Amino acid sequence: MAPAPRRWASGALGIASVLIGVAALVTATRGPGAIEQALPESAPPAPVARVAIASAATLPAITPAPATPGSPTDAGAINGANPATPISVAVADGTVQTVKVTDPRGASVPGEAVKGGWHTTVGLAYGTAYRVDVAAVGADGQPVHQTRTVNTVKPALLAYPSFIPAPGQQSVGVGQPLVVKFDHPVTDRAAAERALKVTTSPEQPGSWYWISPSEAHYRGKEYWQPNTTISLHAGMFGVDLGKGTFGELNRDLTVHVHDSWVAKADGKVEQMQIFHNGALVNTMPISLGSPGHPSHLGPHVVSDKMPTMTMDSCTYGVCEGDPGYYKEKVDLDLRISNDGEFVHSAPWSTGQQGDSNVSHGCVNLSPANAKWFFDHFNVGDVVEITNSGGPALPVYDTYGDWELDWPHWQSGSALR
């Protein structure tokens, strides 16, 4: 009588990192025409090969029905496999000969041999059934065949991660946060955060903050150092974001931080000081928001710049016929909030600039000063407003990220 098969530890196969699910072990039948030979009692017979096919599914071990000698053995299906995890094949007490993985159209999925087995080398697709055919030879020299179906998970929704700044915006200022917006709400924010990897060179501390269930911002403890390179890898494919929503794909973003440009606008003295890499390089008279329309307090970040635009108070509810209505063409505009705050040219208020605050919340400059500012400031540069009489810029208003101190910012992470 042959001894009982030895227990097989998957960690000894050298591919434990991909055997997330419980793999089925199949004891092969001997091939047709096998010749039994008597062996000395001191030499037990060579063990027959055992094949394990695994994916990311977590399933109980499957015990296949006895097979006809020499025929393939179907060990059952693996369901709910993660397509981001390779399909792997391992053989105990034997050697893999051939492995073929095919999709429903019959197309082969590439793979490669590894120590102790084989695995796929390209990503799989959601909601797809893959057929796995394995041929192996046991230590006893007998053939082993097995087939298995691996069914990848079929999400209810796919969440696409869009980026701000957009990938085409390669240069940003020291105040620019990284923004990831999903087109569907994220229930498992911790899972999403673990898949969002940020690296900075030189290295600087940073953390995520969830502005909403579908929007996360990343900023440093302090403004970025000039000449920093920031890289974001959103490895979202295969990530379970909760309630049947999975990440649609992986995306990458790399931006470079240019010189530091920080403007400090003080509503008490109606002056704005301009600092380049920490050195004061210009001072100009300004007019901030009037008492009825005060500018928001705190750091603002430039999110857009336009040579000319039409400003219409009806966009925030003050329409034609209402007191305070305006609609006019304005030049040299740099947006610093989504609440309608800009730094721009205001030739109509040059008499008040440096003396009183009369705008609807914007930072008014003379045409010459506005031209200088427009030429030197860009996306991601910072405008800090003090003594305006207004409330703090909300953290959710475009880039109100810097309104929060570091401990409060860190508390907005799902991993804290």
Side-chain angles (χ1 to χ4, degrees):
M1 178 179 296
R6 295 176 299 179
R7 296 185 64 186
W8 176 41
S10 61
L13 299 177
I15 56 171
S17 61
V18 297
L19 293 179
I20 300 174
V22 178
L25 299 182
V26 180
T27 301
T29 57
R30 295 182 180 275
I35 300 175
E36 297 288 347
Q37 295 182 351
L39 297 175
E41 292 184 0
S42 60
V48 294
R50 291 173 292 166
V51 179
I53 300 173
S55 74
T58 302
L59 298 173
I62 300 172
T63 303
T68 302
S71 67
T73 303
D74 188 345
I78 294 176
N79 298 312
N82 191 316
T85 302
I87 295 173
S88 62
V89 174
V91 176
D93 300 322
T95 304
V96 172
Q97 296 296 296
T98 62
V99 179
K100 186 175 183 181
V101 178
T102 52
D103 66 17
R105 297 173 300 175
S108 295
V109 178
E112 65 180 5
V114 294
K115 184 178 180 181
W118 182 96
H119 64 202
T120 53
T121 54
V122 299
L124 308 178
Y126 285 117
T128 303
Y130 294 91
R131 177 185 170 95
V132 184
D133 294 286
V134 182
V137 173
D140 61 352
Q142 300 305 312
V144 180
H145 295 87
Q146 188 184 112
T147 64
R148 196 162 194 181
T149 300
V150 175
N151 297 303
T152 56
V153 66
K154 185 176 182 180
L157 293 170
L158 291 176
Y160 179 86
S162 61
F163 292 160
I164 300 176
Q169 181 72 45
Q170 297 180 348
S171 178
V172 297
V174 298
Q176 179 67 52
L178 300 183
V179 179
V180 178
K181 289 186 176 182
F182 297 92
D183 57 357
H184 295 290
V186 173
T187 303
D188 192 342
R189 300 183 190 181
E193 249 185 81
R194 282 190 289 268
L196 296 170
K197 307 295 185 183
V198 178
T199 57
T200 56
S201 179
E203 187 174 351
Q204 292 151 73
S207 182
W208 290 97
Y209 185 99
W210 287 85
I211 302 294
S212 75
S214 59
E215 182 174 342
H217 289 211
Y218 186 93
R219 51 153 269 210
K221 183 178 181 180
E222 300 173 342
Y223 296 148
W224 304 116
Q225 299 174 27
N227 298 316
T228 294
T229 297
I230 309 173
S231 297
L232 166 63
H233 174 65
M236 304 309 304
F237 181 73
V239 177
D240 185 347
L241 300 175
K243 295 187 176 180
T245 299
F246 281 72
E248 182 172 348
L249 45 69
N250 299 332
R251 298 191 71 202
D252 291 279
L253 173 70
T254 298
V255 294
H256 181 75
V257 180
H258 54 239
D259 284 0
S260 172
W261 288 96
V262 177
K264 297 179 181 291
D266 188 338
K268 184 176 182 180
V269 296
E270 289 86 28
Q271 297 286 321
M272 184 164 66
Q273 294 180 314
I274 314 296
F275 294 85
H276 176 223
N277 291 334
L280 179 64
V281 295
N282 203 343
T283 301
M284 51 188 67
I286 60 171
S287 181
L288 296 179
S290 67
H293 305 279
S295 305
H296 282 106
L297 287 168
H300 296 56
V301 178
V302 176
S303 60
D304 196 11
K305 59 186 296 186
M306 294 155 283
T308 301
M309 66 176 295
T310 297
M311 293 191 177
D312 186 348
S313 63
C314 199
T315 58
Y316 61 86
V318 180
C319 297
E320 189 172 4
D322 296 333
Y325 168 74
Y326 63 86
K327 183 178 182 180
E328 57 187 296
K329 177 183 173 183
V330 181
D331 296 329
L332 304 171
D333 310 284
L334 292 97
R335 180 183 289 275
I336 56 173
S337 84
N338 264 359
D339 196 35
E341 294 174 317
F342 291 80
V343 180
H344 63 76
S345 174
W348 59 85
S349 71
T350 54
Q352 288 80 34
Q353 292 166 23
D355 178 70
S356 57
N357 296 316
V358 298
S359 82
H360 284 80
C362 294
V363 181
N364 283 3
L365 297 173
S366 70
N369 284 332
K371 178 66 165 58
W372 188 98
F373 194 88
F374 190 87
D375 289 344
H376 289 83
F377 273 64
N378 291 283
V379 170
D381 294 333
V382 180
V383 178
E384 298 177 351
I385 296 178
T386 57
N387 300 314
S388 68
L393 182 67
V395 67
Y396 55 80
D397 189 340
T398 312
Y399 304 137
D401 305 54
W402 300 100
E403 303 300 322
L404 300 183
D405 60 27
W406 185 236
H408 282 92
W409 180 264
Q410 289 179 300
S411 70
S413 167
L415 299 179
R416 297 288 176 176

